[in-house]
Amino acid sequence: MRSRWLYGPFWMTYLFLYAPIVVLVVMSFNALETPYSWGGFSTSWYGKLAGDQQIRKGLVNTLIVASGATALSTVLGTLLAVGLARHTRSRLLGALATLPAVVPDVVLAIGLLAFYSSVQATLGLHSVLLAHTVFGLAFVTTVVRTRLSHVDTSLEEASRDLGAGPAATFLRITLPTLLPGIVAGALLTFTLSIDEFVIAFFTAGPKDPTLPIVIYSMVRFGVTPEINALATVLLAVSFTVVILAQRLTRLTDSLR
Amino acid sequence: MRGRVRRLRAEPFVLLGPGLAYLLVFLVVPLGLVLSYTVFKRGRFGGIVYEANGGNFARAADPIYADVLMHSVTLALITTVLALLIGYPTAYVIAHLPARWKAFALVAVVLPFWTNFLIRTYAWIVLLNSQGLVNSALIDLGLVDKPLQLLYTDGAIVTGLLYAYLPLMILPLYSAIERLDPQLREASANLGAHPARTFLSVTLPLTLPGTLTGCVFVFVPSLGNFVIPELLGGGKRIMVGNLIRDQFLKARDWPFGSVLAAAVVAVLILLLTAQAWTARRFSGEEDHA
């Protein structure tokens, strides 16, 4: 390419994106308490992390919420994606399904809080789970719709012509064809739900903090190498899951 | 044929029903509630009294709140412009990489976006602290004598916002640039246009819809963010997101918080409409970003 000078900003972008991450990972193995100077290699902060009750409780809460929200949004999102592709041309309904991804999270969060309050629901893990399903549903729907747009419908027609009922066709033909997209959508919803803070902050109530809420209170309190260790673990999990999802579907396609 | 008729009747409801019902209850109703709260009164102990009250909107014009709104818009705007200046050349290079490297470069842009947002913000506390790496580097290079106050400034907030949302700028830009027909640029060059001229009259107008999509994607979440101003701005310089949170969780003035939230949504709708209009005008089709 002629415009070689463009490589300057290009490499700067990656330096900007990854330098902070590298610093956190390196500092998580620092023997010193201060995160600003290096005092030799140590894994002691990981030991401390493993014994932290608050973090453990937050993690369990987060996993409950993320699993539930993922299961629920995967089922609802897959059905909705197929329905939108096959049974309606309504652009309004299509837009509705992507709305949760566009609405600012703080607005969605106060809306859900207002809703729970007006039906006098108690707040807890269940209310976070139902809230996380809203954006998970949007996400699964988007990924599965992208996959659907690349799928040939002639197999389904053949199945119907050969006498299979709608349920049999859906289970034996449609679902297996869409499976990579469904699994990718589920993995991404799981990752998003594990990391989601703003909506959980408003809908969790005081008794059941999720991991991001625990992290928020730790980070507000100050800088400790234990957070670096936790950051490294979370980064490793997110990176693995996202790369896995990326392999299953061209994720970047659906984000366009 | 009986099976076919039955399928046509029941299938749409089975497929569309559950998802749309869920969105109705957990998305449309909540957003509708926030919208309706803007015209009601706050209760004595928070919550809502369903009595008409027109004063909520007037309060937003109070200098205390108008300042915060202006300040939020300014910081979100600076973030968006910086993201565009960094994002455009980056997206341009990615779009012209060989296929193999292209996929790799794209995943590398998306990865940080999928990791914990608080952790990513926290990384900047570590970097920008008075004893942090940025200050040590500046001192070691002899650029400054004593540590600069980097953390708890507007600059820190913008850095955090830029770090959080830069991928949202690069992705739509990449897809817009990638869709460009290279023949158009060749034609422009063959007709004697300077590369800068080709960029301004061919590349830029044709990628304008994608550019605006990226700008909306960065501007809107930057505007409503309350975590970054709190952690990197030290809570001194708040943004409209902080106000909304405080009206709901601390002051418990839900009608006023709803007015502020509605203002953010109004800005969003305005920007999306402008984006859609530009997309129709400049590419003759809707941009599905």
Side-chain angles (χ1 to χ4, degrees), chain A residues 58-73:
Chain A
L59 181 66
V60 170
N61 285 343
T62 292
L63 290 176
I64 293 170
V65 167
S67 319
T70 303
L72 199 53
S73 46

Side-chain angles (χ1 to χ4, degrees), chain A residues 187-201:
Chain A
L187 285 175
L188 293 170
T189 301
F190 191 74
T191 316
L192 267 182
S193 177
I194 283 186
D195 285 343
E196 204 285 328
F197 167 68
V198 174
I199 295 170
F201 183 66

Side-chain angles (χ1 to χ4, degrees), chain A residues 6 13-14 16-18 36 76 79 87 111-112 115 130 133 139 192 195 212 216 220 223-224 228 231 239 242 256, chain B residues 11 15 18 22 26 30 33-34 86 90 92 94 105 108-109 112 114-116 118-119 122 129 163 175 230 288-289:
Chain A
L6 286 176
T13 296
Y14 287 94
F16 178 62
L17 288 177
Y18 285 91
Y36 308 117
L76 294 173
L79 293 175
H87 295 292
L112 285 159
F115 170 68
L130 292 171
T133 303
F139 211 80
L192 267 182
D195 285 343
Y216 179 66
R220 264 194 349 159
V223 175
T224 106
N228 296 338
F239 276 31
V242 172
R256 280 186 200 176
Chain B
E11 202 181 284
L15 291 174
Y22 199 91
F26 289 97
L33 276 176
V34 171
I86 302 170
T90 304
Y92 195 92
I94 297 175
V109 165
W114 287 101
T115 61
N116 191 290
L118 291 161
I119 295 287
Y122 161 78
N129 204 289
Y163 189 63
S175 95
E230 177 135 329
H288 296 285

